[in-house]
């Protein structure tokens, strides 16, 4: 059976939020959706709880367990289990507004014939009135590079991605590393697909201590190969000069963390002449961060 949208939740040791998240989904004004939960090796036993929810929920609930590898590997693992044409990634400690699925379905229907549209981007907020990222208009078509990066709109949003686009750009996996930024998906998809930006909060954030946002800096330092990869994505001339400079510095920084020699890092960047200008500030950043993290 196919559903209008799949709400995909990567889960890792967050069982205390399951009831709240489930209640939020039960309140949706449209219930023609699949709630797909990928348990990324939690130490808590959530399987029995979801088995009960599968029997009683007013929407499709599907739970799968995998060995721990990080959120990006959970998103990859989900591919064969998705039963809709669109996916909304919902973290386990966050919630949706009661009309979120209805709103998503409205825009999916509006643009169903336009195959150039690969992503819908709605706003996140601490509540409905305070978005984390401001959008210029009620509705606008652009892409992640032009609108979010070059338009200087950093921060978390609620992306709904076409399933075939999610499958087209699986997250690379680096041995021994359990974190990779979702920027991979949004930057790579922008090479081929457009995004519809909608000025409406449908996703409510509740950043928790110990979550990915809270521990992001530490995670990035312990996953330098993924860090190098993500920074390399931003070196293309489609990006603003300011953005490219920051990516060059961070590429060199993560390369140092990974134990790479400067020559190796420059070769990896595929634009060594540009990146080479920023060796000194990158080395300075490396020394400062090492001092701070002793």
């Amino acid at each position: 059976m196919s559903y209008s949208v799949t709400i995909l939740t990567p889960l890792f040791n967050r069982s205390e939020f399951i009831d709240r998240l489930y209640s939020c989904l039960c309140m949706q004004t449209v219930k023609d959706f699949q709630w797909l939960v990928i348990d990324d090796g939690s130490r808590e036993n959530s399987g029995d709880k979801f088995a009960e929810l599968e029997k009683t929920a007013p929407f499709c609930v599907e739970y799968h367990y995998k060995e721990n590898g990080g959120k990006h590997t959970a998103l990859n693992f989900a591919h064969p289990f998705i039963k809709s044409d669109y996916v909304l990634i919902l973290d386990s400690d966050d919630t949706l507004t009661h009309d979120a699925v209805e709103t998503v379905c409205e825009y999916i229907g509006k643009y169903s014939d336009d195959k150039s549209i690969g992503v819908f981007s709605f706003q996140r907020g601490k509540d409905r009135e305070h978005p984390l990222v401001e959008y210029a208009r009620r509705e606008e078509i652009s892409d992640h590079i032009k609108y979010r990066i070059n338009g200087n709109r950093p921060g978390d949003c609620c992306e709904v991605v076409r399933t075939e686009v999610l499958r087209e750009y699986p997250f690379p996996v680096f041995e021994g590393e359990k974190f990779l930024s979702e920027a991979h998906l949004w930057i790579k998809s922008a090479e081929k697909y457009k995004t519809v930006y909608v000025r409406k909060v449908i996703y409510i954030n509740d950043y928790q201590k110990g979550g990915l946002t809270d521990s992001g800096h530490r995670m990035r330092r312990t996953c330098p190969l993924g860090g190098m990869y993500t920074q390399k994505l931003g070196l293309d001339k489609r990006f603003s000069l300011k953005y490219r400079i920051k990516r060059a510095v961070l590429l060199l920084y993560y390369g140092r963390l990974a134990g790479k020699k400067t020559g190796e890092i420059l070769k990896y960047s595929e634009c060594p002449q540009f990146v080479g200008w920023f060796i000194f500030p990158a080395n300075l950043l490396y020394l400062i961060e090492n001092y701070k993290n002793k």
Side-chain angles (χ1 to χ4, degrees), residues 14-250:
R14 280 287 188 265
S15 62
E16 67 269 29
F17 300 110
I18 292 173
D19 288 339
R20 185 182 69 172
L21 181 50
Y22 176 69
S23 295
C24 136
L25 296 179
C26 285
M27 293 174 64
Q28 291 299 307
T29 53
V30 170
K31 295 184 174 64
D32 177 31
F33 61 88
Q34 174 197 23
W35 185 25
L36 176 58
V37 179
I38 305 299
D39 191 330
D40 185 41
S42 296
R43 293 183 294 275
E44 305 159 342
N45 182 15
S46 300
D48 292 342
K49 186 176 186 67
F50 280 100
E52 289 300 314
L53 294 181
E54 288 175 14
K55 298 174 185 176
T56 59
F59 46 83
C60 172
V61 177
E62 190 167 339
Y63 169 91
H64 296 277
Y65 183 91
K66 63 178 284 296
E67 291 185 6
N68 179 246
K71 180 180 178 180
H72 63 300
T73 66
L75 297 178
N76 287 347
F77 187 85
H79 289 184
F81 307 112
I82 296 170
K83 296 178 179 176
S84 71
D85 292 331
Y86 291 86
V87 176
L88 186 161
I89 301 168
L90 174 62
D91 290 341
S92 58
D93 51 358
D94 296 330
T95 57
L96 297 175
T97 62
H98 71 280
D99 61 345
V101 174
E102 180 179 353
T103 301
V104 169
C105 290
E106 174 189 343
Y107 280 92
I108 288 173
K110 183 175 181 179
Y111 290 95
S112 60
D113 294 330
D114 189 345
K115 299 304 180 185
S116 71
I117 303 296
V119 184
F120 295 90
S121 183
F122 302 88
Q123 291 171 303
R124 295 193 192 196
K126 294 182 179 179
D127 54 52
R128 298 197 70 147
E129 305 303 321
H130 299 90
L132 301 180
V133 179
E134 290 290 348
Y135 285 177
R137 298 179 178 85
R138 186 179 66 85
E139 183 180 326
E140 188 169 357
I141 298 176
S142 185
D143 66 61
H144 185 78
I145 295 172
K146 292 178 182 177
Y147 194 78
R148 295 289 311 280
I149 296 177
N150 293 346
N152 193 29
R153 294 184 177 90
D156 290 333
C157 296
C158 174
E159 287 88 3
V160 178
V161 59
R162 194 140 42 98
T163 302
E164 63 184 72
V165 176
L166 180 66
R167 290 171 175 159
E168 186 174 351
Y169 300 104
F171 290 88
V173 177
F174 299 93
E175 186 176 356
E177 297 193 357
K178 296 185 178 181
F179 175 82
L180 184 72
S181 169
E182 287 179 43
H184 155 81
L185 177 58
W186 313 129
I187 290 175
K188 295 296 291 183
S189 63
E191 297 173 358
K192 186 175 176 181
Y193 300 99
K194 298 176 183 177
T195 296
V196 179
Y197 295 91
V198 182
R199 192 170 62 193
K200 182 175 182 179
V201 174
I202 67 168
Y203 188 118
I204 306 301
N205 270 85
D206 186 13
Y207 294 124
Q208 295 292 322
K209 186 175 178 60
L212 275 180
T213 301
D214 177 60
S215 58
H217 181 69
R218 176 183 57 80
M219 291 291 290
R220 285 175 171 84
R221 280 183 57 85
T222 58
C223 301
L225 296 178
M228 288 179 66
Y229 169 80
T230 303
Q231 306 315 313
K232 181 181 176 180
L233 291 176
L235 292 175
D236 192 275
K237 291 184 179 180
R238 293 173 300 161
F239 297 91
S240 67
L241 179 60
K242 179 181 178 181
Y243 187 83
R244 292 177 66 214
I245 290 172
K246 184 175 182 180
R247 302 283 78 78
V249 171
L250 289 175

